[in-house]
């Protein structure tokens, strides 16, 4: 888990869009998506429900994101 990954999930929660979150964090959308996926793999949980538009955090994702905001 890196601080950059935490920044990305906070941005994704804020903007509810991979494209907007990537723009606001000054990275490409594939980079942001890959880092979020790596964090999800590391934690063993899905942080976002990608089947809904706009995307929304999962229940556990909301907890992780809240802790990321505190950190």
């Amino acid at each position: 888990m890196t601080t950059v990954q935490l920044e990305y999930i906070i941005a994704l929660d804020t903007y509810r869009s991979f494209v907007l979150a990537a723009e606001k964090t000054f990275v490409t959308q594939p980079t942001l998506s890959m880092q979020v996926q790596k964090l999800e793999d590391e934690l063993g949980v899905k942080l976002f429900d990608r089947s809904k538009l706009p995307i929304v955090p999962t229940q556990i994702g909301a907890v992780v994101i809240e802790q990321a905001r505190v950190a």
Side-chain angles (χ1 to χ4, degrees):
M1 179 181 311
T2 67
T3 56
V4 171
Q5 290 171 326
L6 298 180
E7 288 177 36
Y8 291 168
I9 65 170
I10 291 168
L12 197 49
D13 182 51
T14 301
Y15 299 106
R16 303 293 168 109
S17 162
F18 278 93
V19 174
L20 283 174
E23 287 176 6
K24 299 298 183 180
T25 55
F26 306 103
V27 296
T28 63
Q29 183 273 327
T31 298
L32 184 128
S33 184
M34 180 184 67
Q35 288 299 317
V36 171
Q37 183 65 50
K38 282 177 70 174
L39 180 58
E40 289 177 328
D41 291 346
E42 183 180 332
L43 296 175
V45 296
K46 289 291 180 190
L47 299 175
F48 294 94
D49 182 354
R50 293 164 175 83
S51 67
K52 299 178 181 175
L53 288 177
I55 63 168
V56 293
T58 60
Q59 189 173 6
I60 189 69
V63 173
V64 173
I65 293 163
E66 187 58 36
Q67 287 300 308
R69 289 184 188 278
V70 170

